[in-house]
Amino acid sequence: MRFWFRKKSSCQIAKDRLKILLISDRVNCSQEMLELIKADITKVISKYMKIDTENMDIQISAKKGISSLCANIPIVDIHKQCQAAEGK
Amino acid sequence: MTKNNVIVVTSGKGGVGKTTTSANVGTGLAKLGKKVCLIDTDIGLRNLDVVMGLENRIVYNLVDVIEGNCRIKQALIKDKRHPGLYLMPSAQTRDKSAVKPGQMVKVIEHLKEQFDYIILDCPAGIEQGFQNAIAGATRALVVTTPEVSAIRDADRIIGLLEANGFEQMDLIINRLRPDMVKRGDMMSSQDVVDILAIPLIGVIPDDENVVVSTNQGEPLVGNATPAGMAYQNVVQRIEGKDVPFMNFEKSISFLAKVTGIFHRV
């Protein structure tokens, strides 16, 4: 049956579930909290430059006992905003 | 005694084979001529004594030692089948709060001088029993099965061991079923190692001989059974020898042939 429907093997399902589960387990931080952090970071950085909030990516990774917050925030326009800030 | 020879056998989840692993690793090391002390740290739910077949010889236990009711030597049960193998049983009628991590460290410091290896059988969970068991240890064997729940708990345990300064942690994957791995219904040992990211020291196949050996109270390490051979390899690797991992598919096909012959007859 599996062959005909090309169902994912249960082993693959287990691996996929564990990958997601362990990321949140390791950092002890839920997806909702990450969304809140993302909103706050956006607010602060938007004061100084124009950023692409659609394509920003925030993740927590934990390796060898050290957790780190990685944020990838594309900047749309840095020059204009800086000049405006200086102008003030 | 060299630096990292106080080994805690832990898993987080219950029922994955900590006690069986402790018994087999301890017995295996003793068979190699090492002086080994097994300590059951599961206070209130002791089991290492029955798995070792030494339940009828308990007089004093770990809590008696800690409370000063007896000397350490009086609580140690000598396994007559293997010279150099001793068991310190746990108390059955007490609970985990009877022991504190500092007291465990003291007992282990004492035993360290007389033994080549000290193997601590850790209780399930991450509460005080776990803290007591890891307090005096410098090295850990993390036991898991290729199941989501056991792997999740093992990951948590690895995090806690790292936070407690453990440098050497090795993974034992227990109850692997090569036939299920082959048809994609069980994670392979490589899958588990990829997820948990600590060195693999042993893969124990799911083997009914383990139940038989527990029934008899005699660890099967070194016997000509799949699990017995796998445990023997773990012992060799603990001793620092480079032993190749068993190819279970081969042994399965061999077993299948043998059972096939019997079915035909």
Side-chain angles (χ1 to χ4, degrees):
Chain A
M1 284 303 253
R2 188 183 295 132
F3 178 77
W4 299 110
F5 292 105
R6 292 189 178 221
K7 233 169 90 181
K8 244 190 195 177
S9 72
S10 71
C11 162
Q12 194 57 48
I13 296 170
K15 278 196 279 184
D16 294 345
R17 288 176 63 211
L18 267 170
K19 259 177 218 157
I20 297 166
L21 185 64
L22 293 187
I23 289 171
S24 54
D25 272 5
R26 281 172 192 172
V27 297
N28 200 11
C29 164
S30 67
Q31 202 59 41
E32 293 101 79
M33 195 173 132
L34 267 182
E35 285 302 318
L36 290 175
I37 294 173
K38 194 173 162 179
D40 280 354
I41 289 179
T42 309
K43 227 197 277 172
V44 172
I45 297 179
S46 297
K47 273 198 210 166
Y48 303 98
M49 56 189 77
K50 200 173 172 190
I51 56 172
D52 181 2
T53 47
E54 288 285 295
N55 293 314
M56 72 185 275
D57 175 42
I58 290 180
Q59 278 182 349
I60 294 182
S61 61
K63 261 186 190 162
K64 304 234 171 215
I66 302 159
S67 305
S68 60
L69 181 74
C70 296
N72 192 352
I73 309 168
I75 300 167
V76 178
D77 195 347
I78 186 168
H79 205 61
K80 214 175 172 183
Q81 296 287 319
C82 282
Q83 275 179 339
E86 274 167 25
K88 280 178 197 174
Chain B
M1 189 173 193
T2 47
K3 199 181 137 214
N4 277 353
N5 286 358
V6 183
I7 306 171
V8 60
V9 180
T10 182
S11 70
K13 189 178 178 295
V16 297
K18 286 180 295 297
T19 305
T20 310
T21 299
S22 304
N24 279 288
V25 167
T27 307
L29 286 165
K31 278 184 172 175
L32 292 180
K34 302 287 165 192
K35 245 191 133 194
V36 181
C37 180
L38 284 162
I39 306 180
D40 189 349
T41 64
D42 199 346
I43 296 160
L45 291 169
R46 73 172 171 217
N47 271 320
L48 189 53
D49 51 336
V50 262
V51 174
M52 295 291 298
L54 298 170
E55 70 274 18
N56 293 328
R57 298 190 34 216
I58 297 176
V59 181
Y60 294 110
N61 59 51
L62 180 63
V63 177
D64 288 322
V65 171
I66 281 167
E67 292 181 343
N69 300 334
C70 70
R71 283 174 286 121
I72 290 184
K73 223 178 171 183
Q74 289 176 296
L76 288 174
I77 304 168
K78 186 176 172 8
D79 190 328
K80 288 170 186 160
R81 296 161 296 189
H82 310 285
L85 183 59
Y86 291 79
L87 170 72
M88 166 96 68
S90 159
Q92 183 70 341
T93 52
R94 304 290 295 270
D95 70 88
K96 290 171 169 87
S97 59
V99 179
K100 292 198 173 62
Q103 296 169 316
M104 277 304 295
V105 174
K106 257 190 197 164
V107 173
I108 290 168
E109 285 299 320
H110 232 271
L111 289 167
K112 255 185 186 173
E113 294 158 16
Q114 306 157 40
F115 290 95
D116 297 319
Y117 283 96
I118 296 172
I119 313 279
L120 297 136
D121 182 21
C122 180
I126 49 171
E127 292 88 27
Q128 192 174 351
F130 169 74
Q131 298 296 342
N132 287 338
I134 66 165
T138 49
R139 179 177 180 180
L141 294 180
V142 179
V143 184
T144 189
T145 59
E147 286 159 62
V148 180
S149 50
I151 293 171
R152 182 193 200 178
D153 289 1
D155 188 74
R156 183 105 168 79
I157 287 292
I158 292 167
L160 289 170
L161 291 171
E162 275 178 351
N164 278 280
F166 274 73
E167 286 163 16
Q168 201 172 4
M169 290 179 276
D170 295 295
L171 183 66
I172 292 183
I173 301 171
N174 197 12
R175 291 204 204 113
L176 189 90
R177 287 189 47 185
D179 54 327
M180 288 188 74
V181 173
K182 213 174 169 186
R183 59 170 199 259
D185 277 334
M186 183 178 269
M187 280 177 269
S188 69
S189 49
Q190 191 55 50
D191 292 334
V192 181
V193 172
D194 287 345
I195 292 168
L196 293 176
I198 61 169
L200 182 68
I201 201 168
V203 182
I204 318 295
D206 192 24
D207 182 356
E208 52 186 48
N209 290 301
V210 172
V211 180
V212 177
S213 92
T214 314
N215 289 345
Q216 294 165 335
E218 180 128 27
L220 48 58
V221 58
N223 292 357
T225 56
M229 289 189 284
Y231 273 121
Q232 184 64 29
N233 289 347
V234 172
V235 169
Q236 301 270 5
R237 292 185 196 112
I238 289 174
E239 271 283 277
K241 294 192 182 92
D242 191 16
V243 189
F245 282 87
M246 280 159 77
N247 186 352
F248 294 117
E249 259 153 51
K250 231 182 208 169
S251 62
I252 270 282
S253 64
F254 172 71
L255 276 177
K257 270 180 209 158
V258 174
T259 47
I261 290 166
F262 279 108
H263 277 296
R264 253 174 267 157
V265 174

